Amino acid sequence: PAVPSATVSGAPDGFELEIKSAEIDLKEFGIENAEDFIAALDISLEKDGLAWQGNDEQESVAVSVDMTQYDIADGTVVRVHHQHDGEITTIEPLIIINGKLTFATDGFSVFVVEKAHETTVVDKIEDNTITMTVGEEKTFYWAEGDTITTYDSAHFWVVDDPEGCISAQLH
């Protein structure tokens, strides 16, 4: 398919998002089943020929990629493998909402999207915690009044309200 459209939120002034297809070796990214592979995208954030990679003032930005051309249903759980500085890290689970895949990143280069077979199950929401099972149980916390109790890998919340329904992704 053609290169999808994408947007970035929180980018420094004057930087523009560029996206193009990338050629990859699936095994290098740990993708065992080629049918699970969705896309390999080389994404950059540039201004005057200089690439932005996170800095002390701003550690990450939110990227939203239109996945509709890949014929992926809303609610599909995916993982994104990010190859940066010679290392591959995995962001999971992410959920396609309104045809878009949204994730936070502090660096740009190749992002590989694959279908994930495990699903996210919210076990309970109690007081100020959300307990979720994603392979193993994780508990997340949010602010209570003016203080943060604690949190584990909480980058941002994505909330979409197209017709009065609110869907949230926790990262």
Side-chain angles (χ1 to χ4, degrees), residues 4-166:
S5 62
T7 58
V8 63
S9 300
D13 290 338
F15 281 81
E16 292 188 24
L17 192 70
E18 293 186 22
I19 185 169
K20 56 187 173 186
S21 293
E23 298 269 331
I24 62 148
D25 175 358
L26 294 179
K27 297 250 186 256
E28 181 181 356
F29 286 86
I31 300 173
E32 300 295 326
N33 187 353
E35 292 174 0
D36 293 337
F37 170 75
I38 298 169
L41 306 169
D42 188 353
I43 303 175
S44 61
L45 190 60
E46 297 185 5
K47 175 183 176 182
D48 301 327
L50 297 174
W52 181 86
Q53 305 291 349
N55 56 42
D56 290 338
E57 294 84 39
Q58 183 173 3
E59 295 180 2
S60 66
V61 296
V63 176
S64 184
V65 180
D66 182 351
M67 301 298 287
T68 54
Q69 72 188 44
Y70 298 104
D71 196 30
I72 300 172
D74 277 353
T76 299
V77 179
V78 299
R79 64 175 54 94
V80 175
H81 306 283
H82 180 205
Q83 185 178 46
H84 185 68
D85 289 337
E87 292 185 26
I88 297 174
T89 56
T90 302
I91 308 166
E92 66 176 328
L94 298 172
I95 301 171
I96 304 297
I97 297 176
N98 293 330
K100 295 188 191 296
L101 168 63
T102 303
F103 57 91
T105 186
D106 61 357
F108 289 88
S109 57
V110 175
F111 294 85
V112 177
V113 183
E114 81 167 311
K115 290 179 186 171
H117 292 286
E118 65 259 356
T119 58
T120 302
V121 178
V122 175
D123 294 325
K124 62 185 174 185
I125 299 176
E126 197 173 275
D127 299 322
N128 74 325
T129 67
I130 300 174
T131 302
M132 304 173 74
T133 302
V134 185
E136 62 184 75
E137 185 177 281
K138 307 242 184 229
T139 301
F140 300 87
Y141 302 85
W142 63 86
E144 249 182 35
D146 294 332
T147 62
I148 299 292
T149 307
T150 185
Y151 61 90
D152 295 329
S153 189
H155 296 296
F156 63 95
W157 291 85
V158 176
V159 178
D160 200 0
D161 188 10
E163 297 172 10
C165 297
I166 296 177

